[in-house]
PDB file of all heavy atoms in Angstrom:
ATOM      1  N   THR M   1     103.553  71.825  92.510  1.00  0.00           N
ATOM      2  CA  THR M   1     102.965  70.565  92.066  1.00  0.00           C
ATOM      3  C   THR M   1     103.560  69.422  92.869  1.00  0.00           C
ATOM      4  O   THR M   1     104.772  69.314  93.011  1.00  0.00           O
ATOM      5  CB  THR M   1     103.222  70.335  90.558  1.00  0.00           C
ATOM      6  OG1 THR M   1     102.697  71.455  89.833  1.00  0.00           O
ATOM      7  CG2 THR M   1     102.547  69.065  90.075  1.00  0.00           C
ATOM      8  N   LYS M   2     102.656  68.601  93.410  1.00  0.00           N
ATOM      9  CA  LYS M   2     103.056  67.399  94.150  1.00  0.00           C
ATOM     10  C   LYS M   2     101.949  66.361  93.973  1.00  0.00           C
ATOM     11  O   LYS M   2     100.763  66.708  94.051  1.00  0.00           O
ATOM     12  CB  LYS M   2     103.260  67.707  95.630  1.00  0.00           C
ATOM     13  CG  LYS M   2     103.760  66.508  96.406  1.00  0.00           C
ATOM     14  CD  LYS M   2     104.025  66.819  97.851  1.00  0.00           C
ATOM     15  CE  LYS M   2     104.472  65.537  98.555  1.00  0.00           C
ATOM     16  NZ  LYS M   2     104.595  65.711  99.977  1.00  0.00           N
ATOM     17  N   ASP M   3     102.340  65.122  93.745  1.00  0.00           N
ATOM     18  CA  ASP M   3     101.373  64.022  93.586  1.00  0.00           C
ATOM     19  C   ASP M   3     100.315  64.349  92.526  1.00  0.00           C
ATOM     20  O   ASP M   3      99.118  64.140  92.735  1.00  0.00           O
ATOM     21  CB  ASP M   3     100.700  63.687  94.923  1.00  0.00           C
ATOM     22  CG  ASP M   3     101.695  63.287  95.989  1.00  0.00           C
ATOM     23  OD1 ASP M   3     102.756  62.740  95.640  1.00  0.00           O
ATOM     24  OD2 ASP M   3     101.413  63.530  97.185  1.00  0.00           O
ATOM     25  N   ASN M   4     100.768  64.910  91.412  1.00  0.00           N
ATOM     26  CA  ASN M   4      99.889  65.261  90.285  1.00  0.00           C
ATOM     27  C   ASN M   4      98.807  66.284  90.632  1.00  0.00           C
ATOM     28  O   ASN M   4      97.804  66.384  89.930  1.00  0.00           O
ATOM     29  CB  ASN M   4      99.245  64.009  89.674  1.00  0.00           C
ATOM     30  CG  ASN M   4     100.276  63.112  89.028  1.00  0.00           C
ATOM     31  OD1 ASN M   4     101.199  63.596  88.367  1.00  0.00           O
ATOM     32  ND2 ASN M   4     100.141  61.814  89.232  1.00  0.00           N
ATOM     33  N   LYS M   5      98.995  67.021  91.721  1.00  0.00           N
ATOM     34  CA  LYS M   5      98.075  68.110  92.072  1.00  0.00           C
ATOM     35  C   LYS M   5      98.876  69.403  92.051  1.00  0.00           C
ATOM     36  O   LYS M   5     100.015  69.444  92.519  1.00  0.00           O
ATOM     37  CB  LYS M   5      97.469  67.899  93.459  1.00  0.00           C
ATOM     38  CG  LYS M   5      96.517  66.737  93.534  1.00  0.00           C
ATOM     39  CD  LYS M   5      95.943  66.608  94.935  1.00  0.00           C
ATOM     40  CE  LYS M   5      95.171  65.311  95.059  1.00  0.00           C
ATOM     41  NZ  LYS M   5      95.113  64.836  96.425  1.00  0.00           N
ATOM     42  N   THR M   6      98.269  70.464  91.525  1.00  0.00           N
ATOM     43  CA  THR M   6      98.947  71.762  91.447  1.00  0.00           C
ATOM     44  C   THR M   6      98.144  72.813  92.211  1.00  0.00           C
ATOM     45  O   THR M   6      96.923  72.885  92.070  1.00  0.00           O
ATOM     46  CB  THR M   6      99.131  72.196  89.978  1.00  0.00           C
ATOM     47  OG1 THR M   6      99.926  71.208  89.314  1.00  0.00           O
ATOM     48  CG2 THR M   6      99.829  73.539  89.877  1.00  0.00           C
ATOM     49  N   PHE M   7      98.856  73.589  93.014  1.00  0.00           N
ATOM     50  CA  PHE M   7      98.256  74.666  93.796  1.00  0.00           C
ATOM     51  C   PHE M   7      98.975  75.965  93.454  1.00  0.00           C
ATOM     52  O   PHE M   7     100.189  75.972  93.240  1.00  0.00           O
ATOM     53  CB  PHE M   7      98.389  74.376  95.297  1.00  0.00           C
ATOM     54  CG  PHE M   7      97.772  73.070  95.701  1.00  0.00           C
ATOM     55  CD1 PHE M   7      98.548  71.921  95.787  1.00  0.00           C
ATOM     56  CD2 PHE M   7      96.420  72.987  95.987  1.00  0.00           C
ATOM     57  CE1 PHE M   7      97.978  70.701  96.146  1.00  0.00           C
ATOM     58  CE2 PHE M   7      95.846  71.778  96.348  1.00  0.00           C
ATOM     59  CZ  PHE M   7      96.625  70.626  96.430  1.00  0.00           C
ATOM     60  N   SER M   8      98.219  77.052  93.437  1.00  0.00           N
ATOM     61  CA  SER M   8      98.802  78.361  93.112  1.00  0.00           C
ATOM     62  C   SER M   8      98.885  79.228  94.360  1.00  0.00           C
ATOM     63  O   SER M   8      98.042  79.127  95.258  1.00  0.00           O
ATOM     64  CB  SER M   8      97.969  79.055  92.030  1.00  0.00           C
ATOM     65  OG  SER M   8      96.613  79.149  92.423  1.00  0.00           O
ATOM     66  N   PHE M   9      99.925  80.081  94.394  1.00  0.00           N
ATOM     67  CA  PHE M   9     100.200  80.920  95.561  1.00  0.00           C
ATOM     68  C   PHE M   9     100.479  82.360  95.170  1.00  0.00           C
ATOM     69  O   PHE M   9     101.153  82.623  94.174  1.00  0.00           O
ATOM     70  CB  PHE M   9     101.446  80.401  96.306  1.00  0.00           C
ATOM     71  CG  PHE M   9     101.250  79.065  96.960  1.00  0.00           C
ATOM     72  CD1 PHE M   9     101.493  77.898  96.251  1.00  0.00           C
ATOM     73  CD2 PHE M   9     100.819  78.972  98.269  1.00  0.00           C
ATOM     74  CE1 PHE M   9     101.321  76.658  96.848  1.00  0.00           C
ATOM     75  CE2 PHE M   9     100.639  77.735  98.867  1.00  0.00           C
ATOM     76  CZ  PHE M   9     100.889  76.579  98.156  1.00  0.00           C
ATOM     77  N   ASP M  10      99.983  83.267  95.992  1.00  0.00           N
ATOM     78  CA  ASP M  10     100.383  84.668  95.954  1.00  0.00           C
ATOM     79  C   ASP M  10     101.154  84.874  97.256  1.00  0.00           C
ATOM     80  O   ASP M  10     100.644  84.568  98.340  1.00  0.00           O
ATOM     81  CB  ASP M  10      99.154  85.573  95.884  1.00  0.00           C
ATOM     82  CG  ASP M  10      99.483  87.012  95.519  1.00  0.00           C
ATOM     83  OD1 ASP M  10     100.668  87.324  95.284  1.00  0.00           O
ATOM     84  OD2 ASP M  10      98.545  87.831  95.462  1.00  0.00           O
ATOM     85  N   VAL M  11     102.394  85.339  97.168  1.00  0.00           N
ATOM     86  CA  VAL M  11     103.299  85.412  98.313  1.00  0.00           C
ATOM     87  C   VAL M  11     103.344  86.831  98.861  1.00  0.00           C
ATOM     88  O   VAL M  11     103.593  87.781  98.104  1.00  0.00           O
ATOM     89  CB  VAL M  11     104.716  84.936  97.910  1.00  0.00           C
ATOM     90  CG1 VAL M  11     105.674  85.026  99.085  1.00  0.00           C
ATOM     91  CG2 VAL M  11     104.658  83.510  97.360  1.00  0.00           C
ATOM     92  N   LYS M  12     103.111  86.978 100.166  1.00  0.00           N
ATOM     93  CA  LYS M  12     103.093  88.293 100.817  1.00  0.00           C
ATOM     94  C   LYS M  12     104.132  88.343 101.928  1.00  0.00           C
ATOM     95  O   LYS M  12     104.035  87.623 102.921  1.00  0.00           O
ATOM     96  CB  LYS M  12     101.694  88.580 101.405  1.00  0.00           C
ATOM     97  CG  LYS M  12     100.580  88.558 100.375  1.00  0.00           C
ATOM     98  CD  LYS M  12     100.786  89.616  99.328  1.00  0.00           C
ATOM     99  CE  LYS M  12      99.803  89.485  98.182  1.00  0.00           C
ATOM    100  NZ  LYS M  12     100.200  90.340  97.057  1.00  0.00           N
ATOM    101  N   SER M  13     105.107  89.206 101.753  1.00  0.00           N
ATOM    102  CA  SER M  13     106.154  89.371 102.766  1.00  0.00           C
ATOM    103  C   SER M  13     105.651  90.263 103.894  1.00  0.00           C
ATOM    104  O   SER M  13     104.576  90.869 103.802  1.00  0.00           O
ATOM    105  CB  SER M  13     107.404  89.975 102.129  1.00  0.00           C
ATOM    106  OG  SER M  13     107.114  91.258 101.632  1.00  0.00           O
ATOM    107  N   LEU M  14     106.440  90.348 104.953  1.00  0.00           N
ATOM    108  CA  LEU M  14     106.120  91.236 106.076  1.00  0.00           C
ATOM    109  C   LEU M  14     106.046  92.680 105.592  1.00  0.00           C
ATOM    110  O   LEU M  14     106.801  93.088 104.710  1.00  0.00           O
ATOM    111  CB  LEU M  14     107.174  91.124 107.171  1.00  0.00           C
ATOM    112  CG  LEU M  14     107.129  89.857 108.011  1.00  0.00           C
ATOM    113  CD1 LEU M  14     108.378  89.755 108.883  1.00  0.00           C
ATOM    114  CD2 LEU M  14     105.881  89.835 108.875  1.00  0.00           C
ATOM    115  N   LYS M  15     105.126  93.438 106.174  1.00  0.00           N
ATOM    116  CA  LYS M  15     104.958  94.850 105.826  1.00  0.00           C
ATOM    117  C   LYS M  15     105.011  95.695 107.093  1.00  0.00           C
ATOM    118  O   LYS M  15     104.875  95.195 108.197  1.00  0.00           O
ATOM    119  CB  LYS M  15     103.592  95.076 105.151  1.00  0.00           C
ATOM    120  CG  LYS M  15     103.357  94.271 103.890  1.00  0.00           C
ATOM    121  CD  LYS M  15     104.164  94.782 102.728  1.00  0.00           C
ATOM    122  CE  LYS M  15     103.765  94.151 101.416  1.00  0.00           C
ATOM    123  NZ  LYS M  15     104.301  92.837 101.152  1.00  0.00           N
ATOM    124  N   LYS M  16     105.154  96.996 106.887  1.00  0.00           N
ATOM    125  CA  LYS M  16     105.107  97.946 107.994  1.00  0.00           C
ATOM    126  C   LYS M  16     103.652  98.238 108.322  1.00  0.00           C
ATOM    127  O   LYS M  16     102.777  98.166 107.457  1.00  0.00           O
ATOM    128  CB  LYS M  16     105.796  99.250 107.590  1.00  0.00           C
ATOM    129  CG  LYS M  16     107.265  99.098 107.260  1.00  0.00           C
ATOM    130  CD  LYS M  16     107.815 100.430 106.772  1.00  0.00           C
ATOM    131  CE  LYS M  16     109.274 100.305 106.397  1.00  0.00           C
ATOM    132  NZ  LYS M  16     109.821 101.590 105.952  1.00  0.00           N
ATOM    133  N   SER M  17     103.384  98.591 109.563  1.00  0.00           N
ATOM    134  CA  SER M  17     102.041  99.004 109.942  1.00  0.00           C
ATOM    135  C   SER M  17     101.739 100.385 109.357  1.00  0.00           C
ATOM    136  O   SER M  17     100.647 100.655 108.886  1.00  0.00           O
ATOM    137  CB  SER M  17     101.903  99.020 111.463  1.00  0.00           C
ATOM    138  OG  SER M  17     100.566  99.275 111.821  1.00  0.00           O
ATOM    139  N   ASN M  18     102.758 101.253 109.372  1.00  0.00           N
ATOM    140  CA  ASN M  18     102.656 102.586 108.783  1.00  0.00           C
ATOM    141  C   ASN M  18     103.883 102.810 107.905  1.00  0.00           C
ATOM    142  O   ASN M  18     104.975 102.348 108.240  1.00  0.00           O
ATOM    143  CB  ASN M  18     102.628 103.669 109.868  1.00  0.00           C
ATOM    144  CG  ASN M  18     101.406 103.550 110.745  1.00  0.00           C
ATOM    145  OD1 ASN M  18     100.295 103.809 110.316  1.00  0.00           O
ATOM    146  ND2 ASN M  18     101.612 103.123 111.981  1.00  0.00           N
ATOM    147  N   ARG M  19     103.726 103.541 106.812  1.00  0.00           N
ATOM    148  CA  ARG M  19     104.856 103.791 105.910  1.00  0.00           C
ATOM    149  C   ARG M  19     106.034 104.442 106.623  1.00  0.00           C
ATOM    150  O   ARG M  19     107.172 104.214 106.265  1.00  0.00           O
ATOM    151  CB  ARG M  19     104.424 104.694 104.754  1.00  0.00           C
ATOM    152  CG  ARG M  19     103.674 103.953 103.710  1.00  0.00           C
ATOM    153  CD  ARG M  19     103.293 104.848 102.555  1.00  0.00           C
ATOM    154  NE  ARG M  19     102.654 104.007 101.554  1.00  0.00           N
ATOM    155  CZ  ARG M  19     102.984 103.997 100.279  1.00  0.00           C
ATOM    156  NH1 ARG M  19     103.893 104.798  99.822  1.00  0.00           N
ATOM    157  NH2 ARG M  19     102.374 103.195  99.452  1.00  0.00           N
ATOM    158  N   SER M  20     105.748 105.247 107.635  1.00  0.00           N
ATOM    159  CA  SER M  20     106.808 105.968 108.342  1.00  0.00           C
ATOM    160  C   SER M  20     107.586 105.073 109.321  1.00  0.00           C
ATOM    161  O   SER M  20     108.641 105.461 109.793  1.00  0.00           O
ATOM    162  CB  SER M  20     106.215 107.159 109.091  1.00  0.00           C
ATOM    163  OG  SER M  20     105.234 106.702 110.007  1.00  0.00           O
ATOM    164  N   ASP M  21     107.041 103.879 109.607  1.00  0.00           N
ATOM    165  CA  ASP M  21     107.734 102.967 110.531  1.00  0.00           C
ATOM    166  C   ASP M  21     109.070 102.542 109.938  1.00  0.00           C
ATOM    167  O   ASP M  21     109.202 102.381 108.723  1.00  0.00           O
ATOM    168  CB  ASP M  21     106.887 101.719 110.803  1.00  0.00           C
ATOM    169  CG  ASP M  21     105.609 102.029 111.567  1.00  0.00           C
ATOM    170  OD1 ASP M  21     105.475 103.160 112.064  1.00  0.00           O
ATOM    171  OD2 ASP M  21     104.751 101.132 111.640  1.00  0.00           O
ATOM    172  N   SER M  22     110.051 102.327 110.794  1.00  0.00           N
ATOM    173  CA  SER M  22     111.357 101.892 110.297  1.00  0.00           C
ATOM    174  C   SER M  22     111.423 100.378 110.106  1.00  0.00           C
ATOM    175  O   SER M  22     112.206  99.890 109.311  1.00  0.00           O
ATOM    176  CB  SER M  22     112.476 102.381 111.212  1.00  0.00           C
ATOM    177  OG  SER M  22     112.205 102.041 112.543  1.00  0.00           O
ATOM    178  N   ASN M  23     110.582  99.626 110.812  1.00  0.00           N
ATOM    179  CA  ASN M  23     110.621  98.163 110.725  1.00  0.00           C
ATOM    180  C   ASN M  23     109.266  97.581 110.348  1.00  0.00           C
ATOM    181  O   ASN M  23     108.229  98.219 110.551  1.00  0.00           O
ATOM    182  CB  ASN M  23     111.054  97.565 112.068  1.00  0.00           C
ATOM    183  CG  ASN M  23     112.473  97.938 112.426  1.00  0.00           C
ATOM    184  OD1 ASN M  23     113.373  97.870 111.604  1.00  0.00           O
ATOM    185  ND2 ASN M  23     112.666  98.359 113.667  1.00  0.00           N
ATOM    186  N   THR M  24     109.307  96.346 109.840  1.00  0.00           N
ATOM    187  CA  THR M  24     108.064  95.646 109.542  1.00  0.00           C
ATOM    188  C   THR M  24     107.398  95.230 110.852  1.00  0.00           C
ATOM    189  O   THR M  24     108.032  95.196 111.892  1.00  0.00           O
ATOM    190  CB  THR M  24     108.332  94.395 108.675  1.00  0.00           C
ATOM    191  OG1 THR M  24     109.268  93.557 109.347  1.00  0.00           O
ATOM    192  CG2 THR M  24     108.866  94.781 107.298  1.00  0.00           C
ATOM    193  N   ASP M  25     106.107  94.904 110.758  1.00  0.00           N
ATOM    194  CA  ASP M  25     105.320  94.528 111.936  1.00  0.00           C
ATOM    195  C   ASP M  25     104.723  93.142 111.693  1.00  0.00           C
ATOM    196  O   ASP M  25     103.813  92.993 110.878  1.00  0.00           O
ATOM    197  CB  ASP M  25     104.223  95.571 112.156  1.00  0.00           C
ATOM    198  CG  ASP M  25     103.408  95.321 113.409  1.00  0.00           C
ATOM    199  OD1 ASP M  25     103.500  94.225 113.997  1.00  0.00           O
ATOM    200  OD2 ASP M  25     102.658  96.234 113.798  1.00  0.00           O
ATOM    201  N   SER M  26     105.232  92.146 112.394  1.00  0.00           N
ATOM    202  CA  SER M  26     104.760  90.777 112.166  1.00  0.00           C
ATOM    203  C   SER M  26     103.379  90.514 112.787  1.00  0.00           C
ATOM    204  O   SER M  26     102.822  89.442 112.590  1.00  0.00           O
ATOM    205  CB  SER M  26     105.770  89.766 112.693  1.00  0.00           C
ATOM    206  OG  SER M  26     105.860  89.863 114.094  1.00  0.00           O
ATOM    207  N   ASN M  27     102.837  91.495 113.493  1.00  0.00           N
ATOM    208  CA  ASN M  27     101.514  91.325 114.100  1.00  0.00           C
ATOM    209  C   ASN M  27     100.367  91.660 113.160  1.00  0.00           C
ATOM    210  O   ASN M  27      99.214  91.378 113.469  1.00  0.00           O
ATOM    211  CB  ASN M  27     101.388  92.201 115.354  1.00  0.00           C
ATOM    212  CG  ASN M  27     102.364  91.773 116.426  1.00  0.00           C
ATOM    213  OD1 ASN M  27     102.404  90.608 116.797  1.00  0.00           O
ATOM    214  ND2 ASN M  27     103.170  92.704 116.890  1.00  0.00           N
ATOM    215  N   ILE M  28     100.690  92.298 112.027  1.00  0.00           N
ATOM    216  CA  ILE M  28      99.633  92.707 111.091  1.00  0.00           C
ATOM    217  C   ILE M  28     100.004  92.324 109.661  1.00  0.00           C
ATOM    218  O   ILE M  28     101.169  92.067 109.343  1.00  0.00           O
ATOM    219  CB  ILE M  28      99.357  94.234 111.152  1.00  0.00           C
ATOM    220  CG1 ILE M  28     100.603  95.060 110.761  1.00  0.00           C
ATOM    221  CG2 ILE M  28      98.855  94.651 112.524  1.00  0.00           C
ATOM    222  CD1 ILE M  28     100.630  95.500 109.321  1.00  0.00           C
ATOM    223  N   HIS M  29      98.997  92.297 108.814  1.00  0.00           N
ATOM    224  CA  HIS M  29      99.174  92.184 107.355  1.00  0.00           C
ATOM    225  C   HIS M  29      98.129  93.070 106.704  1.00  0.00           C
ATOM    226  O   HIS M  29      97.051  93.303 107.263  1.00  0.00           O
ATOM    227  CB  HIS M  29      99.019  90.740 106.883  1.00  0.00           C
ATOM    228  CG  HIS M  29     100.261  89.942 107.057  1.00  0.00           C
ATOM    229  ND1 HIS M  29     101.292  89.964 106.152  1.00  0.00           N
ATOM    230  CD2 HIS M  29     100.658  89.118 108.039  1.00  0.00           C
ATOM    231  CE1 HIS M  29     102.265  89.184 106.564  1.00  0.00           C
ATOM    232  NE2 HIS M  29     101.904  88.658 107.723  1.00  0.00           N
ATOM    233  N   TRP M  30      98.458  93.574 105.529  1.00  0.00           N
ATOM    234  CA  TRP M  30      97.536  94.401 104.749  1.00  0.00           C
ATOM    235  C   TRP M  30      96.934  93.540 103.651  1.00  0.00           C
ATOM    236  O   TRP M  30      97.634  92.816 102.957  1.00  0.00           O
ATOM    237  CB  TRP M  30      98.276  95.580 104.124  1.00  0.00           C
ATOM    238  CG  TRP M  30      98.699  96.617 105.109  1.00  0.00           C
ATOM    239  CD1 TRP M  30      99.936  96.770 105.679  1.00  0.00           C
ATOM    240  CD2 TRP M  30      97.891  97.665 105.647  1.00  0.00           C
ATOM    241  NE1 TRP M  30      99.936  97.841 106.535  1.00  0.00           N
ATOM    242  CE2 TRP M  30      98.697  98.417 106.534  1.00  0.00           C
ATOM    243  CE3 TRP M  30      96.558  98.044 105.469  1.00  0.00           C
ATOM    244  CZ2 TRP M  30      98.212  99.523 107.224  1.00  0.00           C
ATOM    245  CZ3 TRP M  30      96.081  99.143 106.162  1.00  0.00           C
ATOM    246  CH2 TRP M  30      96.904  99.873 107.039  1.00  0.00           C
ATOM    247  N   ILE M  31      95.613  93.626 103.479  1.00  0.00           N
ATOM    248  CA  ILE M  31      94.899  92.878 102.450  1.00  0.00           C
ATOM    249  C   ILE M  31      94.392  93.882 101.415  1.00  0.00           C
ATOM    250  O   ILE M  31      93.710  94.848 101.768  1.00  0.00           O
ATOM    251  CB  ILE M  31      93.692  92.109 103.046  1.00  0.00           C
ATOM    252  CG1 ILE M  31      94.103  91.310 104.296  1.00  0.00           C
ATOM    253  CG2 ILE M  31      93.024  91.245 101.982  1.00  0.00           C
ATOM    254  CD1 ILE M  31      95.186  90.289 104.097  1.00  0.00           C
ATOM    255  N   GLU M  32      94.723  93.632 100.149  1.00  0.00           N
ATOM    256  CA  GLU M  32      94.334  94.553  99.077  1.00  0.00           C
ATOM    257  C   GLU M  32      92.950  94.190  98.539  1.00  0.00           C
ATOM    258  O   GLU M  32      92.759  93.137  97.951  1.00  0.00           O
ATOM    259  CB  GLU M  32      95.370  94.486  97.947  1.00  0.00           C
ATOM    260  CG  GLU M  32      95.109  95.465  96.830  1.00  0.00           C
ATOM    261  CD  GLU M  32      96.064  95.266  95.676  1.00  0.00           C
ATOM    262  OE1 GLU M  32      95.957  94.221  94.986  1.00  0.00           O
ATOM    263  OE2 GLU M  32      96.921  96.143  95.473  1.00  0.00           O
ATOM    264  N   ILE M  33      91.995  95.100  98.766  1.00  0.00           N
ATOM    265  CA  ILE M  33      90.618  94.928  98.294  1.00  0.00           C
ATOM    266  C   ILE M  33      90.494  95.459  96.857  1.00  0.00           C
ATOM    267  O   ILE M  33      89.919  94.817  95.993  1.00  0.00           O
ATOM    268  CB  ILE M  33      89.623  95.664  99.224  1.00  0.00           C
ATOM    269  CG1 ILE M  33      89.813  95.220 100.696  1.00  0.00           C
ATOM    270  CG2 ILE M  33      88.186  95.478  98.752  1.00  0.00           C
ATOM    271  CD1 ILE M  33      89.596  93.750 100.964  1.00  0.00           C
TER     272      ILE M  33
END
């Protein structure tokens, strides 16, 4: 909330491209349909 306006957020951290990967991949994101 700022200036009497409120916005809502869903926060998504970095994810791996594949579950077997050891590190996250900042080049991609997964979107849940």
Side-chain angles (χ1 to χ4, degrees):
T1 303
K2 184 177 178 187
D3 301 331
N4 294 319
K5 291 181 189 154
T6 300
F7 303 95
S8 55
F9 292 88
D10 193 2
V11 179
K12 301 298 172 192
S13 63
L14 286 170
K15 302 287 190 280
K16 298 176 181 181
S17 186
N18 296 290
R19 282 182 176 230
S20 59
D21 294 349
S22 51
N23 295 315
T24 56
D25 184 347
S26 66
N27 296 307
I28 62 96
H29 278 277
W30 289 99
I31 311 301
E32 184 186 69
I33 306 300

